[in-house]
Amino acid sequence: MVTPWRLVLAVSLALLSASVARAEESIKIVLNAEPRSLEPCQSTASDVSRVLAQNIVESLTEISTKDGSIQPRLAVSWQQINPTTWRFKLREGVKFQNGKPFTAADVVYTLDRMPLAPLNCLTRQKMFGDAQLTSRAIDPTTVEVVTSKPLPILPTMMSVVYVVPEGTDNAAPSRAPVGTGAFKFVSWKPGESIVLERANTYWGPKPQFDKATYIWRAESALRAAMVETAEADIAQSIALQDATTEGMDFAYQNAETTRIRLDLQTPPLSDIRVRKALNLAIDKEALKDLVGREVTESAQYVVSAINGFNPNLKPFPYDPKEAKRLLDEARKDGVPVDAKLTLMTRDSYFSNAKEVAEAMMSMWAAVGLKLELKVVDPVTFYSFLNKPFQDGRRLLLTHMHDNNMGDAIFTQLFLYTPEGIASTITDKPLGELINKASAMQGPERTAALQEAFRRIHDDMVADVFMFHMVGYSRVSKRLNWTPDLSTNNMIEIGKVKLRS
């Protein structure tokens, strides 16, 4: 006979074991901000891609974080037919999470919806510039893509084109996407959480987790503490001073670079002497105490591994005396140097972003500039970053950009051409150079991209150039997973494992 207390103990242990089992089948990731949408066409924005990319939706190709090579995903092979025509052979036996088979018609539909205005398709605006794409299904597993000009790296570009099923609503950016990925969308409670569940339709290896929950907290210390106390499994981004727990905190090289984008059209920022002074007044060595000693000073908006990086460009030195001289000279010539400028940043944008902005304001004040600081939420920030701009006159905008796609064209097209969605530049010769470079190959392409960066840095001084960044994440000890080059943009849950 089983005594009551033994029965109670047995039931309690059974419930505890079940609870532990359930916990091990779920993963919780705490982000620094709520996504603006879950629209696949906006997946070049990191706040969107962190949840979406290669989890809910998948691309035709993907870039290896180990060596930068182009790898198959939904496409198993590709062939260039002529300078403006490519054919992609698609993976067979793939289904969307709604049960619909994946075919070439879905790829055509995905490409055709990119120019539609209601979607505000950042992928189209950032990656393809003035190139037009026409696609057709040759058969259910073959897609032909014809471009209006040669795009020799089109397979690389396809790594950020995330496929949706034919018939997906195009009236507005999606908040409940359907894709071919290992996890299906379940719910989004605004201001609270996003929940995904493992998709039984997935064609690839079965993930260890059957549920993924995303939450967001603005404070770095809180995100780190949530992993420490097992309230979350991964804090995707934490500040330098919070990355102090051995065995849980990781510093990793990423492809992020920071800058201050300048309003080039409005005085005093339209005067190159003022832009030079803004750079010379910044003591970047001192700022490393806030962002991390592992960062390196930048003179261009890509890291050294990217094609088009110009090794001849040197960061501006710290020279406040010369900064004051330039400002005095501009002031004597009638430039309104004493007009109040606005520095805008996002809290938790990167390690100690607000504190960095405050330090830079002090350095600029020391050479005689007047500034006010605005710390804004992501939605407000992007309304100033991307066209049509809100009133950004006399605006200095903190910006961080990730290019891990192997080529500088993915930076220059949308940030430095007159038609670029996040560009304040109106210089037509620069835009023509960048657009021509997008159709070039080999050493000629590299040289053109390098020349564009030279003009941006030396001739225009278009930015206040800051750092090539390092990321910090906290990871639960129950996980066998290490952050890598892609972590700031996405965490592919299917690759996260439990420790045995």
Side-chain angles (χ1 to χ4, degrees), residues 72-269:
R73 190 82 184 204
L74 290 179
V76 294
S77 63
W78 42 92
Q79 177 184 11
Q80 187 171 20
I81 306 303
N82 60 52
T84 59
T85 304
W86 290 80
R87 285 184 183 170
F88 294 84
K89 191 68 176 176
L90 306 182
R91 190 178 299 277
E92 298 184 27
V94 175
K95 290 185 178 181
F96 289 96
Q97 291 127 7
N98 60 9
K100 179 186 178 296
F102 162 67
T103 70
D106 301 302
V107 179
V108 172
Y109 185 82
T110 297
L111 294 173
D112 286 349
R113 75 191 290 267
M114 289 200 305
L116 301 179
L119 298 180
N120 187 25
C121 185
L122 300 179
T123 301
R124 176 74 183 84
Q125 296 160 349
K126 289 183 176 182
M127 298 299 159
F128 293 95
D130 62 354
Q132 304 299 314
L133 278 64
T134 305
S135 58
R136 67 185 181 100
I138 293 178
D139 59 48
T141 60
T142 308
V143 176
E144 183 176 271
V145 180
V146 178
T147 60
S148 60
K149 66 178 184 180
L151 293 179
I153 59 170
L154 185 64
T156 302
M157 293 175 165
M158 287 299 180
S159 69
V160 292
V161 176
Y162 290 94
V163 180
V164 299
E166 186 177 16
T168 294
D169 184 20
N170 297 326
S174 177
R175 293 178 67 88
V178 174
T180 60
F183 288 83
K184 63 181 180 179
F185 173 84
V186 175
S187 65
W188 185 348
K189 295 181 179 179
E192 186 177 329
S193 65
I194 293 172
V195 177
L196 314 181
E197 289 182 356
R198 188 173 61 213
N200 294 327
T201 53
Y202 188 52
W203 58 271
K206 182 179 178 180
Q208 284 195 325
F209 299 99
D210 64 357
K211 180 181 178 181
T213 302
Y214 294 85
I215 56 176
W216 36 89
R217 301 289 185 271
E219 301 83 5
S220 168
L222 178 56
R223 294 194 299 274
M226 292 180 72
V227 179
E228 185 82 31
T229 58
E231 296 176 75
D233 294 294
I234 298 174
Q236 172 263 336
S237 175
I238 60 175
L240 167 67
Q241 66 269 21
D242 299 320
T244 57
T245 303
E246 187 175 354
M248 298 182 74
D249 294 338
F250 295 86
Y252 57 95
Q253 294 291 329
N254 59 31
E256 299 279 9
T257 303
T258 50
R259 65 166 181 164
I260 305 295
R261 189 191 70 183
L262 304 176
D263 166 23
L264 300 183
Q265 311 312 318
T266 307
L269 297 175

Side-chain angles (χ1 to χ4, degrees), residues 7 36 78 119-120 126 143 206 214 252 258 283 292 303 308 362 433 441 449 468 478:
L7 180 60
R36 73 190 78 175
W78 42 92
L119 298 180
N120 187 25
K126 289 183 176 182
V143 176
K206 182 179 178 180
Y214 294 85
Y252 57 95
T258 50
D283 183 354
V303 297
S362 290
L433 172 64
Q441 300 185 57
L449 295 171
H468 300 302
R478 78 187 189 102

